[in-house]
């Protein structure tokens, strides 16, 4: 009998969509939506089967469940998808490079309902870690801490004295260290990606995850971009559906129909690239070819989204600029989200990895 996989049901998607406007306005948080994921078993799904999960952060068949979940969440709520992606990323890191004790402890926390995240961006004061007795003392700050106030534990990067980067598993529930006012943007509001003050935080030695610079080890560092591409492709598919509804309710207009066909192609391109990258990156014998596929998928999805958004803006007109417009909210979130750091550098790096056809 096939293993039962947790599902994001149509009722759950409707809940996420119904909440999205109030979340965007800051009238509610994503807490209830994260609770829904928790109740449905989605938070434990990335864990290995031996630790109570469905191996969504492993290789092969298990990853298809994560891919489908990210696409579905991306279409319903990009901020929620961002939190879930960070949770899956954190569990993947711990299960790949953590000790057995760390893996057991993190799995137990997830089964108890803890949402995890990965916080790698530094603020004006770089996050640093110094040896203090038998443990560590942190200083500095982290920025773009997605899920601040909802994430219970985060995998955090900090610079060591020798300039290498060390990962730590950190309890991030101390509200007096949170600065949500730092997240002052017009999109992805619900992700609550604020600032976390680390000054004086003391950690046990067991909090150190892996060895220095394992966070940026390839092919997994850039290879994980397939998850970002998947959620973005879901948002693009939802926009294509909204455009279809608008196009089909009007008298037939050849130009609008033609533009809808082009938007459909772009959405399909995004899904195919993100799925190809997932399948390549999560193969049991993954190599730098998987990393290259993920980097190219990031570029392909950005290009597809940019072209599709331009076509949608021409047809939607001023409608998406009104508060309460689902299309407008998703367009703002997606336009912001595809602005990942250093796109030119990532594409150049992909080219350096090889120029042979990807399929």
């Amino acid at each position: 009998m096939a293993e039962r996989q947790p599902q994001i049901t149509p009722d759950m998607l409707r809940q996420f969509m119904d909440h999205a406007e109030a979340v965007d306005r800051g009238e509610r948080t994503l807490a209830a939506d994260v609770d829904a994921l928790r109740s449905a078993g989605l938070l434990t799904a990335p864990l290995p089967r031996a630790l109570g999960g469905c191996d969504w952060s492993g290789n092969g068949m298990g990853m298809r469940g994560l891919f489908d979940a990210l696409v579905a969440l991306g279409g319903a709520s990009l901020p929620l998808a961002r939190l879930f992606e960070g949770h899956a990323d954190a569990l993947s890191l711990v299960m790949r490079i953590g000790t057995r004790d760390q893996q057991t402890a993190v799995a137990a926390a997830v089964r108890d309902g803890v949402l995890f995240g990965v916080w790698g961006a530094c603020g004006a004061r770089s996050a640093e870690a110094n040896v203090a007795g038998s443990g560590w003392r942190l200083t500095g700050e982290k920025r773009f801490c997605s899920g601040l106030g909802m994430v219970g534990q985060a995998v955090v990067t900090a610079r060591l004295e020798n300039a290498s980067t060390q990962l730590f598993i950190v309890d991030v529930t101390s509200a007096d260290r949170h600065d949500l006012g730092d997240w002052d943007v017009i999109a992805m509001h619900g992700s609550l990606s604020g600032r976390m003050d680390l000054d004086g935080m003391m950690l046990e030695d067991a909090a150190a995850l892996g060895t220095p610079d394992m966070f940026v080890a390839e092919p997994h560092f850039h290879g994980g971009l397939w998850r970002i591409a998947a959620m973005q492709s879901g948002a693009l598919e939802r926009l294509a559906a909204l455009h279809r509804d608008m196009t089909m309710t009007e008298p037939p207009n050849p130009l609008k129909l033609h533009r809808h066909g082009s938007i459909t192609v772009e959405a399909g391109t995004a899904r195919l690239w993100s799925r190809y990258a997932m399948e390549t990156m999560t193969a049991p014998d993954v190599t730098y070819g998987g990393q290259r596929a993920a980097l190219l998928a990031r570029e392909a999805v950005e290009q597809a989204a940019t072209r599709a958004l331009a076509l949608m803006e021409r047809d939607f007109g001023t409608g998406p600029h009104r508060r309460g417009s689902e299309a407008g909210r998703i367009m703002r979130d997606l336009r912001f989200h595809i602005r990942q750091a250093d796109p030119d550098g990532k594409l150049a790096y992909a080219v350096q990895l090889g120029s042979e056809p990807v399929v």
Side-chain angles (χ1 to χ4, degrees), residues 272-297:
L272 288 171
W273 264 103
S274 56
R275 185 178 178 92
Y276 168 74
M278 178 273 292
E279 292 177 342
T280 305
M281 188 60 212
T282 59
D285 56 347
V286 61
T287 64
Y288 286 90
Q291 173 193 354
R292 177 170 172 262
L295 286 161
L296 291 176

Side-chain angles (χ1 to χ4, degrees), residues 83-152:
L83 297 192
F84 183 67
E85 187 277 330
H87 177 79
D89 187 16
L91 300 190
S92 177
L93 277 166
V94 173
M95 297 306 152
R96 190 170 69 249
I97 67 175
T99 65
R100 184 179 298 274
D101 286 345
Q102 287 173 329
Q103 294 169 357
T104 301
V106 165
V110 173
R111 292 195 301 269
D112 285 341
V114 174
L115 179 69
F116 276 73
V118 177
W119 296 350
C122 286
R125 297 181 299 115
S126 176
E128 299 182 358
N130 293 281
V131 175
S134 60
W136 300 87
R137 183 178 186 272
L138 302 185
T139 57
E141 62 187 17
K142 305 303 294 185
R143 291 193 70 195
F144 307 127
C145 302
S146 296
L148 193 64
M150 287 180 286
V151 168

